Amino acid sequence: MQQLIKYTEEELVLLLKKQDQQAFSYLYDNYAAALNGVIFRMVEDKSLSEDILQEAFVKIWNNFASYDTTKGRLFTWMLNLTKNLTIDTLRSKGYKKQSKISKDENSVSNVPDTGLGAEKFDTIGLRKQLENLKPEQRILIEMAYFSGYTQDEISKDTGIPLGTVKTRMRSAIIELRKILQYA
Amino acid sequence: MQVEEIISSGLLELYAAGLTSKEETAQVEQWLKQYPAIGIELSEISAGLETYAQLQAIEPAPGVKEKIFAAINTV
């Protein structure tokens, strides 16, 4: 669907605080696929992933008043809410917490191309840029971002000391930022 | 703590990825209140991660959006 209106993050937040459904529709169109991608990587089940996505968006709508702009970007808040919901769902379904993230360094490029990004980014160009990320940096970002892992769990699972997880995570995210900035 | 020390601590990156402990989260939120520069830094870190997530997006089935709107319009 063609988006006629484009909101800045501030406008969007203001409208959502007023329970504006058009703004919510815009929010969905712009972020649902990204959040769905994160959920899917955690649950590896398309239909369960969409059920959780649906629940997450209803929660985002109902709890929007609790979003505090001073604590971070809108997407970060939505992502954390979604990740927590996914972890809770997996737990309630009796799933054992385990890494769904492939340690294979090529896993990132195996994600199905959905076309959503194409409208907003030079997707192919950016994906190529991501190849500049060192495999160990990419794995760390994947584990942090696309799993319900805590720092301790990442440390245990990879055998990397906790302090090193922190410093490597930092350099990985800095590298990511550089890559995406100049892409 | 000085702003530069905070930025180089690595905590902002972990906070942006949702990986901080309760205590660390409280600490970062305290800094965010105290120093506007920390908010700007965090926003840039988060924007990078956001783009990364957008690149790995998976379009949900078309019916999902309708179900969500039906749910929020049912009291």
Side-chain angles (χ1 to χ4, degrees), chain A residues 140 151-152 154-156 158-171, chain B residues 8-11 14 24:
Chain A
L140 220 49
Q151 300 170 50
D152 289 325
I154 291 174
S155 167
K156 280 197 193 103
T158 57
I160 303 168
L162 187 58
T164 314
V165 168
K166 286 188 203 215
T167 49
R168 280 206 195 156
M169 184 71 75
R170 172 160 195 265
S171 57
Chain B
S8 59
S9 71
L11 263 189
L14 293 169
E24 289 169 331

Side-chain angles (χ1 to χ4, degrees), chain A residues 20-51:
Chain A
D20 182 304
Q21 294 206 3
Q22 200 184 352
F24 189 58
S25 170
Y26 177 90
L27 185 79
Y28 182 90
D29 292 343
N30 282 277
Y31 297 106
L35 292 175
N36 192 46
V38 174
I39 304 167
F40 181 79
R41 287 168 148 257
M42 292 171 76
V43 305
E44 289 185 332
D45 175 322
K46 187 175 185 290
S47 134
L48 178 60
S49 170
E50 289 175 353
D51 284 350

Side-chain angles (χ1 to χ4, degrees), chain B residues 19-33:
Chain B
L19 283 175
T20 40
S21 68
K22 245 190 192 150
E23 295 75 24
E24 289 169 331
T25 302
Q27 174 65 79
V28 172
E29 286 171 359
Q30 179 56 41
W31 286 332
L32 285 168
K33 273 189 209 146

Side-chain angles (χ1 to χ4, degrees), chain B residues 42-66:
Chain B
L42 179 67
S43 182
E44 282 173 18
I45 293 166
S46 309
L49 286 169
E50 189 173 322
T51 308
Y52 190 72
Q54 290 284 13
L55 283 174
Q56 326 237 2
I58 299 172
E59 202 67 60
V64 177
K65 188 176 179 182
E66 285 162 36

